[in-house]
Structures are given as C-alpha cells and as structure tokens.
Amino acid sequence: MFDLIWWGCAIALFFGCLIQSAMGFGMAILAAPIIVLLRPEWVPVILTVTALSLSLINVWSLHSFVQWRSLRLAVITRIPGTILGAWILTIIATHVLQLTVASIVFLAVLISAYGKPFEPTPARVGLAGFISGLMGTTTSIGGPPMALIMQHSSGNSIRANLAVYFTFSCVMSLMSYQAIGLLNSDLWLASLSFLPVAIFGFLAGKLARQWVDNRFRSLLLILCTASASVAFIGALAFNH
C-alpha cells in the first residue's frame, strides 16, 4: 500500500490538512486535484474520511470557540440543500453547475472585499448552510459559503465552527457512500492509513495559526477565490 503513489497522496493531504487546520477549510482545494490524477478511485472517499478525522481533531482542540446556537440551523438547512443539489445534478450538466457556482463565489468574494462588516447571525448561517449543502453536493465546493458568512468572526471561532459543520457534512457523505455501495474494506483501510497524515497536518497547521491570524480575512478571501478557480478550471477542462 505504501508505494510512491501513496506517498504522493500523503504529501498532498498533509499540506491540505495544514491549510485546513490553519484556515478552517481548504483541504480539498489542494489535495483533490492531485489525488484525482494519482489514484482517482480514492476520490471522494479518502478525502472525506481524512476531512472527518481532521475535523474531529479540530473540534476537540477548539471546542470552547464553537457557537453551537448558530450552527444548529446550518446543520439542519444543509439537509434540504443537499437534497436539492442532488436533484439539480440530474437535470443540469456538471460543468455548467461548476461554472455557475464558481461565478457566484467570485462575486461573493468581490462583494465581501468591499462591503460592510456583518454579524454571522443564526439566520445568515442557516442560509449559508443551505447554500453550502447545495454547492457541496453539486460541485464539491462546500466551504466558501460558510467561511464567507463567518469572515468577520475571530480566527478560532471560524475554525471551530467550520470543524463542527464539516464533521456533520462528512458523516452525511459517508452514510450516502455506504448507501450506494461506494465503500468497501480496501477503501476503508486505505483511508485509515492516512490518519497519521491528518494528525501531523493538524499539528503543522496549529503552528501556522499565529501567522495566519494577523492576516486571516485576506487569506480567507484568497482561499475562497482559489476554490472557485479550481472549479472554474475543472469545468472548462471537462467541457473540452
């Protein structure tokens, strides 16, 4: 199992986990395109299991910063967003969805960069949860809506809240993979082999937080832009 391809995926996941631990999201932006090239059959299961492991570690580390009241509504609204996203997948081409979602994220980043600060009220977080469920299901870009709605909170609050939200999202995804027969013992063993990578990525990301916190919001907007860019490029490549 521990061949050159495994190590290539491990390196991609390590840096992805570092980014996500430092910023709150972003693992899939870096790791997914690399793993798709190296071992496509590992996507999305390896990414989801690793993200779940990392999210649980971050929840444990940052539990005192979690805003449970706001997150409850986001967890609930993600469910209809996921269902709607699955239905949209059946009627609209994937590359059209990716282009649409990427354009929306670009616009949201632009508005955020020049707009007035706002509070992440439960209603706003709930709406972001719905949009995140829809976007995550259709294009795998689920992080930016939640990150953007929380962008004016403290760094640790954003990390903690996203970790809780992604824990729930990953569990939902794994349940759906199990239901459609996507999971098997080989994938589980391969996924669990990357648990040490998630731990080391978390530790490295934790060390980077002090540097990140001094420029958190700017980096968050850059990361959201990078996420939309990956989707945009992927849509153009798929269309051709």
Side-chain angles (χ1 to χ4, degrees), residues 42-93:
W42 280 359
V43 178
V45 174
I46 294 288
L47 289 164
T48 305
V49 174
T50 303
L52 175 59
S53 303
L54 182 64
S55 296
L56 288 170
I57 296 171
N58 276 304
V59 170
W60 169 78
S61 174
L62 297 165
H63 65 275
S64 61
F65 294 95
V66 178
Q67 297 168 314
W68 296 103
R69 182 169 174 268
S70 295
L71 282 175
R72 282 199 298 266
L73 194 54
V75 166
I76 294 171
T77 56
R78 181 183 171 88
I79 297 173
T82 300
I83 295 171
L84 179 60
W87 176 74
I88 290 175
L89 277 174
T90 66
I91 61 173
I92 301 177

Side-chain angles (χ1 to χ4, degrees), residues 100-158:
T100 302
V101 168
S103 299
I104 292 171
V105 174
F106 282 135
L107 179 61
V109 169
L110 186 63
I111 293 172
S112 297
Y114 296 100
K116 295 180 179 180
F118 54 84
E119 291 293 321
T121 62
R124 288 171 179 163
V125 174
L127 178 60
F130 174 81
I131 296 172
S132 175
L134 192 155
M135 291 171 55
T137 303
T138 55
T139 65
S140 299
I141 303 179
M146 293 296 294
L148 287 170
I149 208 69
M150 298 176 184
Q151 62 181 283
H152 297 290
S153 301
S154 69
N156 279 336
S157 291
I158 295 173

